Amino acid sequence: MKHLMLLLFLLFSVLLLKAQDTTGKKNRFAPPAVDTGKIRMPAGMPSALGGARATADTVKRGLSIKPSTIDFKLNSGQTGTAHVYIVNRLNKKKQFTLYLSDWVRDSLGAHVYTAPGSIDRSCARWVKLDRTFVEIDTGQTVDIPIKMQVPDSAGATGEMKWTMLFLETTEEQVVESASGLKTNVNNKVRVGVHLYQTPPSLTYKDVKILSFDRADTSARVCHIVCQNTGTVQLECTSYLELSNIVTGDKTKIDAPIFPLFPEQRRVVEFVIPDNVPKGKYSLIGVIDAGTDVPMEAAQEMIDI
């Protein structure tokens, strides 16, 4: 009986050893294969399988110039340096000429350019460029430092000033006509970077409505004329609200957001839609320059 029990024990031990891994470790459950083609990677994260190649394939070709706006915010006597970056993702080398130009916005918001230093609020003479020409090879990023030095005088920081930095490229292209005549054409690509100097001591924000009326008694056109009466640039929104005196029906007309320099006047035009029924209306025009600026509103009674 003892011999039989010993034999069974040995047989059980042999079966147990065969069930074990040859390394002496127990077999582990193998996870199922992952279909990487169905994995959704977070935006901007390169694929773990594709690496740099997968990232490069998704980069759009073209030129990138950033930032579009620089505000130095310096006190009198201070010097500051900002940076403009040009990235060339084209398949050819590009060359840029750098220069300054003064500018103002007219009453409709269009830019009017003049020579640097020609307007009272120009800061062009305070801007120093360490180069006026730059060549950028394909795949290259170039850092262009922009230095501003504010004079050490109280008058230098009494008001906001500005200028524009232009980066312009000239590329010659041969154009052939139907008759076989070839002409050399210079294609210019120009990008402007807004340069502002807003002294930290200037904080007053205010906007006023100067007039609110219909542009024509027969047309459905209304104008709000407003002015920035503060000391810093404002970002304004404007809208028109019509309320029918009889029915109480209301119609709101929004205008695109627009910037407003100190002392600048702006004409905001509204066109009343044709689907607004004829009748007597209360017309409210609003200029909103943000939560920290008192809202301006004007009201008129009109017949449509």
Side-chain angles (χ1 to χ4, degrees):
M1 186 65 177
K2 290 182 179 180
H3 292 289
L4 180 59
M5 294 293 290
L6 181 60
L7 182 61
L8 291 174
F9 177 80
L10 292 174
L11 181 61
F12 178 80
S13 299
V14 171
L15 293 174
L16 183 61
L17 288 173
K18 287 184 177 182
Q20 293 179 339
D21 192 273
T22 53
T23 60
K25 298 180 181 179
K26 292 183 179 180
N27 288 328
R28 296 183 178 179
F29 175 73
V34 177
D35 183 0
T36 56
K38 296 181 180 180
I39 296 178
R40 298 179 64 88
M41 301 298 293
M45 181 179 292
S47 168
L49 299 177
R53 179 180 177 183
T55 304
D57 289 343
T58 62
V59 175
K60 294 181 179 179
R61 306 199 68 83
L63 284 170
S64 174
I65 299 177
K66 295 181 179 181
S68 60
T69 301
I70 297 172
D71 195 344
F72 283 88
K73 298 182 179 180
L74 300 173
N75 290 309
S76 60
Q78 286 188 328
T79 299
T81 301
H83 298 267
V84 174
Y85 298 94
I86 307 177
V87 182
N88 182 10
R89 298 193 182 96
L90 298 173
N91 56 6
K92 56 183 176 181
K93 186 182 298 183
K94 301 297 290 185
Q95 296 175 334
F96 283 89
T97 299
L98 282 66
Y99 60 93
L100 298 173
S101 177
D102 281 351
W103 62 287
V104 293
R105 300 187 187 99
D106 66 16
S107 61
L108 298 178
H111 289 195
V112 179
Y113 299 101
T114 57
S118 60
I119 67 172
D120 292 339
R121 286 181 176 265
S122 173
C123 60
R125 58 190 177 275
W126 301 344
V127 177
K128 308 297 180 184
L129 303 175
D130 66 348
R131 64 181 115 172
T132 57
F133 176 83
V134 62
E135 188 173 75
I136 310 171
D137 208 346
T138 179
Q140 186 181 7
T141 299
V142 172
D143 176 0
I144 302 174
I146 311 297
K147 183 179 179 181
M148 179 173 288
Q149 185 172 4
V150 179
D152 190 9
S153 65
T157 54
E159 60 184 14
M160 177 187 177
K161 297 183 182 295
W162 59 85
T163 190
M164 182 84 75
L165 169 66
F166 277 116
L167 301 94
E168 185 175 289
T169 180
T170 303
E171 180 178 329
E172 190 174 83
Q173 181 180 6
V174 178
V175 178
E176 185 173 356
S177 66
S179 61
L181 182 65
K182 294 183 178 180
T183 306
N184 291 333
V185 178
N186 290 330
N187 295 325
K188 292 184 178 181
V189 177
R190 187 171 77 164
V191 177
V193 178
H194 301 68
L195 302 181
Y196 300 145
Q197 158 53 14
T198 308
S201 59
L202 302 182
T203 58
Y204 179 58
K205 298 180 180 181
D206 193 47
V207 64
K208 298 295 184 186
I209 291 180
L210 303 181
S211 65
F212 175 45
D213 53 45
R214 299 177 70 179
D216 192 302
T217 56
S218 60
R220 298 188 173 208
V221 178
C222 296
H223 287 161
I224 295 178
V225 180
C226 61
Q227 183 178 23
N228 182 349
T229 52
T231 58
V232 298
Q233 182 172 228
L234 300 175
E235 294 289 330
C236 301
T237 59
S238 183
Y239 65 87
L240 201 66
E241 186 175 272
L242 295 91
S243 299
N244 190 298
I245 299 300
V246 176
T247 65
D249 293 339
K250 293 184 178 182
T251 302
K252 184 181 179 184
I253 307 170
D254 291 302
I257 189 170
F258 58 90
L260 205 58
F261 278 139
E263 300 181 350
Q264 180 191 351
R265 295 189 180 192
R266 177 67 181 259
V267 178
V268 186
E269 183 174 278
F270 297 91
V271 178
I272 301 173
D274 292 336
N275 59 2
V276 174
K278 292 182 178 180
K280 192 172 187 65
Y281 287 83
S282 167
L283 190 63
I284 299 177
V286 174
I287 299 291
D288 186 355
T291 56
D292 54 346
V293 183
M295 184 182 296
E296 277 284 292
Q299 185 176 17
E300 292 286 341
M301 300 297 293
I302 65 169
D303 292 313
I304 296 179

